[in-house]
Amino acid sequence: MLLRGVGVSAGTVIGPVVRMTSPAPLPAPRAVTDPAAEVASARHGVAELAADLAARAEHLSGEARDILESLAMIAEDPLLAEDIERRIVGGTDAPHALTEAFDAQADLLRADGGYLAERAADLDDLRDRAVAIVLGRPIPGIPDPGHPFVLVAADLAPADTANLNPDQVLAIVTERGGPTSHTAILARGLGIPAVVAVAGVTAVGDGSVVAVDGAAGTVALGVDPAPAGSVPRARAQANLADLGPCRTQDGHPVSLYLNIGSVKDVRSGAQGVGLLRTEFLFLGRKETPSVAEQRAAYLELFNAFPGTRVVIRTLDAGADKPLPFLALPAEENPALGVRGLRTARLRPEVLDDQLAAIASAAAAASCEVWTMAPMVATPNEAAEFAAQARAHGLEHVGAMIEIPAAALRAARLLEHLDFLSIGTNDLGQYTMAADRQDGRLPDLLDPWQPALLELIALAAEAGGAAGKPVGVCGEAAADPRLAPVLVGLGVTSLSMAAAAVSAVHAALSARTLTQCRDLAAKARDAVDPAAAREAVAEMSRS
Ligand code: PEP
Ligand code: MG
């Protein structure tokens, strides 16, 4: 049997399914007939929880280890144990006593506000784990079966994805999720094959062996296990230094940069970085990173690309990239709410500190640092951001084009900026009014949509007229068939995951700039993405 979804990270693997577990729902309360047994059961739950945390901490170091050790201490807090027992003696069964006691602690922290309030979510997590142990259900969270596996989940948060171990997680398959969701982007960066929007996949049992094809977007059930040690796997192994600078066949230069979000994405020999997603460095963080900590993190990445250009983007928090330390209020429509640059309206000091950290790291760096803001909508926002960044001494200041309004007014934005970078993931989402996390809408989110190409052309033409660079750093840049079209539309650089560089390099080297322009004209003129693809394929054949 073959399940179909949307392939978002190429590669084929065969492996056993392990499902990500959701917190167990609480059964109805029971009458307590044997309080001593009930207390023993609750104590066992808490002790197992603490032992599990301590055991996992042993394999870690640094901050991750500190966090797990401090959670183990919270679980073993004698006051918490007393509260649980008091509730059981008062007639509450063990799962409900645990729940109420953990919730009471979390409420106290939330009432304190600030940093302590941010720790309340940790207690919610501990509560769910302890209750699962007492109920004899699987512990919720990313599974750790001790062998390589295909991770199956209803959905996966970017923070969970960023922390996956690519040596253990052979592939990711989710029931929800869209082609340009951040989970998909992170999976590509980690070189983990991934398929999203696979209806019914969470019903596949743990241990069933499946074959995942991340390019075709399929999951085959009931396959024979792969012989040990022979799991085929596409990993980001591009030998970038061998490729050299990219030019079209007639010598027109097109810079090919990397999209990175952590040291795991660093590759030697790259031409530079076109998008450093700084929010990926701090996903899930509950405390605001200090200027010193940010400076150190940025400088480490800057110095991994000596002599090149590194484009760093200020925090793009909100929507599917929550940064708990920003403490943003919940929203009805997060993708249309306070995200990206807009978070500076609520927390201006966070942007200011970040710019200070970038400027300080840039001054010490061995590369040229360019700084841009995400989700800029108006020329005024561009002007304000540019003034603030320049006040910190930053020299190359730009903005992402992710909102149709910004593409339409790109020339006005460029009056204040040195460069633009087109984020086709969001520009596609907002142009087509189609949620990028919704796997049911891949046709609307298709980067070949002529309407999206028109907006890219507008921004690129504005750059051409102003003599300023306009790149693409959305996932569209990684498509080797689309790359010549983007260059033909006037884009001056393309930025992508390392795995995509060699195919894009080859596609551009095989065409002249005039051919790229002809392809772009055909694609722009097409009635829909399929016609655009076909027109480009046909011209490429002739
Ligand atoms: C984009 O929107 O295309 C982009 C590059 O930004 P992100 O994917 O991080 O939203
Ligand atoms: Mg974006």
Side-chain angles (χ1 to χ4, degrees), residues 4 25 27 36 72 113 166 180:
R4 287 185 189 280
T180 53

Side-chain angles (χ1 to χ4, degrees), residues 7 134 310-311 460 534:
V134 165
V310 174
V311 182
E534 183 45 39

